[in-house]
Amino acid sequence: MIIVDVDGEGRFVRAVVEKSSRDRHLDNAALEAARHWVYIPPRNEKGETEADRIRIPLDFEEHESCWTKTVPDAPAYPEASSLERYPPQWPGTIEANQLSGEVVVTLLLESDGSAHSVRIAKSSGDMAIDQAARWAANQWTYVPAVVDGKPVRSVLRLPIAYGNKPK
């Protein structure tokens, strides 16, 4: 998350990192990019433009290859208790239309098992169904992958079924 100050003409004044990406190179790239963006300043009640402070969330997608250099001895998996605590809150259209299928999510997991990123790898074709699967996967806790007895960062592709069993 960066904060950008612009003058009354919409020109860049300065930018600061409000919430770091945890990678100084990415933070610096965001600040440098902010210098080159075009800004439209707000107008006051008289119709005059004003200086403004803009909060901009940024999400740098990491390629999966950054997370997997070796094949783990034991792959990551979701903890059963968290699956029970946070089941997907499927939209009513599934039951009403007797839909079934699966959504596949890709998770980038830290070595402590926390989810760094959750993306839809295979969509159901319905945004509400995909979002329900993504939300649930974000809530779950995971047992990390292991290499040589040590937990490591990893990628987990996780199919999540909805409705009746997919055929």
Side-chain angles (χ1 to χ4, degrees), residues 23-102:
D23 182 311
R24 70 179 173 84
H25 299 293
L26 293 177
D27 290 349
N28 289 337
L31 294 173
E32 181 59 29
R35 293 179 181 281
H36 304 284
W37 294 336
V38 175
Y39 300 95
I40 300 171
R43 295 188 178 274
N44 61 24
E45 60 278 347
K46 295 177 184 174
E48 302 163 331
T49 60
E50 301 183 319
D52 197 14
R53 174 166 279 179
I54 306 165
R55 179 173 276 119
I56 303 173
L58 295 171
D59 185 21
F60 292 98
E61 287 291 326
E62 294 183 63
H63 191 271
E64 292 176 19
S65 64
C66 297
W67 290 72
T68 53
K69 302 242 189 275
T70 59
V71 176
D73 302 331
Y77 60 90
E79 291 181 341
S81 62
S82 71
L83 295 172
E84 293 170 13
R85 274 193 316 273
Y86 303 105
Q89 301 299 307
W90 301 119
T93 57
I94 291 177
E95 190 174 327
N97 297 319
Q98 298 180 336
L99 300 175
S100 64
E102 73 178 12

